Amino acid sequence: MSEPPDYITPAVRAIIGAEAPPIEAPHAVEASEVRRFHQALMDASPRFWDPEAAARYGGPVAPIGFPVHAMRRMEDAPDPLDALQAGDHDGVDRRLRPGLPEVQVPLQRLVNGGYAYELFRYAHPGERIRLRSRYVDIYQRNGRTGPMIFVVIEDTYETVRGEPLLRSTNTIILR
């Protein structure tokens, strides 16, 4: 049995540490979004809606994971479902994060390898959220089904004033 090819080329190594330009959420955190989000989580804590109960936070807050879901496509962006009209599109967007360079490997299957979160503080209705993404690491492991490329991306969510809300580390596996 021959050794699998090494897909971590100098070009792939060169993008480790690459950062995307910051992206601002299309609108500020809205109380109605917070309500839908905490109801979907089935968390009826009054800190999300009652100013008195949320006084220790400076007023009502969004659930801690809310910033991740505040980053939606802009109103004028094309609908990703339109791409399904092309016969060869499988519904997976292989651009791992907007603004980050493409990981140039010939492996097409994409698997979510998991997330880790570091939580700093709650977002408040009215605040605007910004996302910064960067490649932390890209490495290869060879399994019994062949080579796998692990792409580790760090996403930092902050207010537009630069106050950290949460940091997410996502591992994406290309096979």
Side-chain angles (χ1 to χ4, degrees):
M1 189 147 104
S2 66
E3 187 69 25
D6 185 3
Y7 292 124
I8 307 300
T9 64
V12 170
R13 267 188 209 86
I15 65 172
I16 296 172
E19 296 182 15
I23 300 170
E24 191 171 318
H27 52 78
V29 176
E30 298 173 352
S32 64
E33 289 180 322
V34 170
R35 177 186 52 79
R36 288 191 302 272
F37 197 86
H38 82 76
Q39 287 174 340
L41 295 173
M42 294 186 277
D43 184 349
S45 172
R47 73 178 170 268
F48 304 130
W49 51 269
D50 180 357
E52 191 174 304
R56 69 184 263 201
Y57 305 108
V61 294
I64 199 76
F66 182 86
V68 174
H69 301 283
M71 308 309 293
R72 294 188 279 296
R73 70 183 170 95
M74 300 298 278
E75 289 82 0
D76 60 349
D79 187 332
L81 295 177
D82 289 345
L84 293 176
Q85 301 306 314
D88 61 344
H89 185 67
D90 63 2
V92 176
D93 185 355
R94 286 176 179 74
R95 292 173 299 143
L96 301 180
R97 292 295 187 282
L100 285 178
E102 184 179 345
V103 179
Q104 296 284 335
V105 295
L107 305 172
Q108 293 299 306
R109 293 172 53 202
L110 186 142
V111 178
N112 184 347
Y115 287 88
Y117 292 99
E118 185 177 0
L119 310 169
F120 300 110
R121 78 161 176 86
Y122 294 103
H124 291 268
E127 287 187 309
R128 295 197 68 92
I129 296 174
R130 180 172 48 209
L131 166 64
R132 298 177 185 274
S133 298
R134 73 181 182 94
Y135 288 130
V136 174
D137 199 4
I138 304 171
Y139 59 93
Q140 179 172 329
R141 288 196 181 148
N142 299 315
R144 64 186 164 84
T145 61
M148 299 176 288
I149 305 300
F150 292 77
V151 181
V152 182
I153 301 171
E154 180 183 86
D155 294 320
T156 302
Y157 297 86
E158 61 189 18
T159 67
V160 294
R161 294 186 310 268
E163 299 164 346
L165 298 169
L166 89 96
R167 182 175 302 127
S168 166
T169 304
N170 179 209
T171 301
I172 296 171
I173 303 167
L174 303 171
R175 301 183 40 194

